[in-house]
Amino acid sequence: MRLPRSFSPYLALRLRLAHHALLQFAASLTSSMEIFFCLAAPVLLGLLSVIALPGFLAMTLPWPAALGLLGAQVLLTCMPAWLLRKRLLPASTAAWLRQLPLRRRACAGRPTSPWPAC
């Protein structure tokens, strides 16, 4: 952190201490994320269970309205992943994934059995 020379030494010291305290606070927040997720898990589970409500309502509607309701639910459910797709899978990572030596079909050419190996 660079400070202008016009600051007094005492003020520069106080700003450095405040900066250090903010860094420690940020580090403590990142270490307490586990506790936050444990406390927020019931709320997130409740929000996920609300996704089933349009399906229950669609059962009581005529089929054109039910298809519209289910289509709207699919769009609203997929929208966060669609809007965040560039952050979830950056272009550099997608290019790296395309270069991995993976075969198209791992089980191609093998005899069929009741217990497939792949």
Side-chain angles (χ1 to χ4, degrees), residues 18-38:
H19 185 259
H20 183 66
L22 282 174
L23 290 177
Q24 283 184 337
F25 179 69
S28 70
L29 280 180
T30 57
S31 67
S32 63
M33 289 305 279
E34 295 172 358
I35 297 169
F36 172 75
F37 284 127
C38 288

Side-chain angles (χ1 to χ4, degrees), residues 15-91:
L15 284 172
R16 281 192 196 112
L17 288 175
H19 185 259
H20 183 66
L22 282 174
L23 290 177
Q24 283 184 337
F25 179 69
S28 70
L29 280 180
T30 57
S31 67
S32 63
M33 289 305 279
E34 295 172 358
I35 297 169
F36 172 75
F37 284 127
C38 288
L39 294 176
V43 174
L44 294 175
L45 186 63
L47 287 174
L48 286 175
S49 66
V50 170
I51 292 174
L53 290 178
F56 292 136
L57 179 63
M59 296 295 291
T60 63
L61 298 174
W63 70 269
L67 286 177
L69 181 66
L70 291 176
Q73 178 195 8
V74 167
L75 285 175
L76 287 175
T77 305
C78 296
M79 192 177 298
W82 180 257
L83 293 174
L84 293 172
R85 68 188 181 276
K86 292 193 179 191
R87 285 190 182 201
L88 295 173
L89 187 65

Side-chain angles (χ1 to χ4, degrees), residues 85 88-104:
R85 68 188 181 276
L88 295 173
L89 187 65
S92 61
T93 307
W96 175 76
L97 286 173
R98 281 188 223 107
Q99 296 172 358
L100 289 177
L102 298 176
R103 293 188 295 177
R104 292 255 181 223

